[in-house]
Amino acid sequence: MAAVWQQVLAVDARYNAYRTPTFPQFRTQYIRRRSQLLRENAKAGHPPALRRQYLRLRGQLLGQRYGPLSEPGSARAYSNSIVRSSRTTLDRMEDFEDDPRALGARGHRRSVSRGSYQLQAQMNRAVYEDRPPGSVVPTSAAEASRAMAGDTSLSENYAFAGMYHVFDQHVDEAVPRVRFANDDRHRLACCSLDGSISLCQLVPAPPTVLRVLRGHTRGVSDFAWSLSNDILVSTSLDGTMRIWASEDGRCIREIPDPDGAGLLCCTFQPVNNNLTVVGNAKHNVHVMNISTGKKVKGGSSKLTGRVLALSFDAPGRLLWAGDDRGSVFSFLFDMATGKLTKAKRLVVHEGSPVTSISARSWVSREARDPSLLINACLNKLLLYRVVDNEGTLQLKRSFPIEQSSHPVRSIFCPLMSFRQGACVVTGSEDMCVHFFDVERAAKAAVNKLQGHSAPVLDVSFNCDESLLASSDASGMVIVWRREQK
């Protein structure tokens, strides 16, 4: 059974379209704040019967306030029908399950699958074959994301008014990674090959650099926010991983690479942030326990080249790793022990470095295929379908960009908040930020932002997509402001 807090969030999302019809940004913030509060309450351990009673009362009160929904049925019926997709913008959140079967053999909490990747892909293709051209699949997920977005079109969502701010504290050294904090509109971090990490605050004006984290003796190759944003983990060419407190910038721990090699990438395990996966220049992937500073037993594996990119699926059961020889490996991740089991290998293109991997369990409201977005120095952005539970990949389509040598990265847009289509954003060596509609057969380009004077290496949206940050090879970080509709 899905967690009650997810059912409550789904109910709120269904009614959200009725709130302040002319102010979609308010609706977006409302539903996100509701999500945060419900997750906090879920951790309090209230009795299941009390939670279910709250769900019924919430549905009744919303019905009295806004009237009946367009689809008939009780609060229990419609909340159950959409709970499976209530995580449209919550892919990285931990599942809180009341069902004791959600506990593993050792009592650890794990995510309960909503069905195999293969089944999801088959169902999605069946729906596409039956629908009229250009129509929207009438799913409950569509209702929820439409409520969050205010029912705006794809072109409206990704029209930008210009630059909001430019950070240049790392000028003359590349900034390979820029990331907004999780579920945050105004906190931003970026790392530089000058060996430092900057924590920035965009509000109140003027935007400022709060602090600069120093300690690495060589360039910082990657970093990641923890789910609660209280710590950051960074990897460096100096062969160390550092754990930082975001509140005051303290270095909590320094962990050397087990192989003594330069570290090139990192990612948190999405369910258990005590575990971090790193990739190094000696072709190895390691699962590290950041509390003990030690490598997890059985949590290492060798690739065919230097490990440049890592990405988990939403439940944290599958890990993909890309190397500089053009291969992408999938691993089964044991939630109880942290052990990695090599599953599949895909050669994207022999000798072409895989510089970015982004996983998404939903491409869009209308396309439920679990998907992977890959940059691989082929002058193309590649979109793959995940076809089974072992992470087997099938090429879905590609988009033209300029990338032949730089470590360019790309992302899925976080909200998937549109009437039709879905959008991905990527950097490019042509010094532009490119937006593509993954569901548009022809003329997939949606927008292009110009303003950088060097290849754009990374992009990151804030939680409500009102701001986009991009970094480049000259050390400049530009924050772009989306047009207010």
Side-chain angles (χ1 to χ4, degrees), residues 4 17 28 54-55 72 84 122 124 137 151 153 182 223 243 296 325 358 383:
V4 174
T28 299
Y54 175 81
L55 173 62
R84 296 178 183 86
Q122 290 173 349
N124 179 68
V137 176
D151 211 14
S153 70
N182 297 305
F223 77 95
I243 314 301
V296 172
R325 297 189 180 179
S358 297
L383 180 66

Side-chain angles (χ1 to χ4, degrees), residues 235-307:
T235 53
S236 171
L237 303 178
D238 66 10
T240 65
M241 173 173 65
R242 285 179 176 255
I243 314 301
W244 310 86
S246 61
E247 183 67 25
D248 56 13
R250 288 181 300 112
C251 179
I252 301 171
R253 186 185 295 274
E254 180 182 1
I255 305 172
D257 176 64
D259 304 316
L263 289 171
L264 306 177
C265 55
C266 61
T267 186
F268 277 105
Q269 208 283 341
V271 175
N272 181 3
N273 274 188
N274 197 45
L275 300 179
T276 301
V277 183
V278 297
N280 70 22
K282 288 191 176 179
H283 308 184
N284 288 321
V285 171
H286 296 297
V287 181
M288 307 295 295
N289 186 317
I290 63 174
S291 294
T292 65
K294 296 181 179 179
K295 180 176 64 173
V296 172
K297 185 178 180 179
S300 299
S301 189
K302 199 169 190 67
L303 276 61
T304 56
R306 297 187 308 143
V307 185

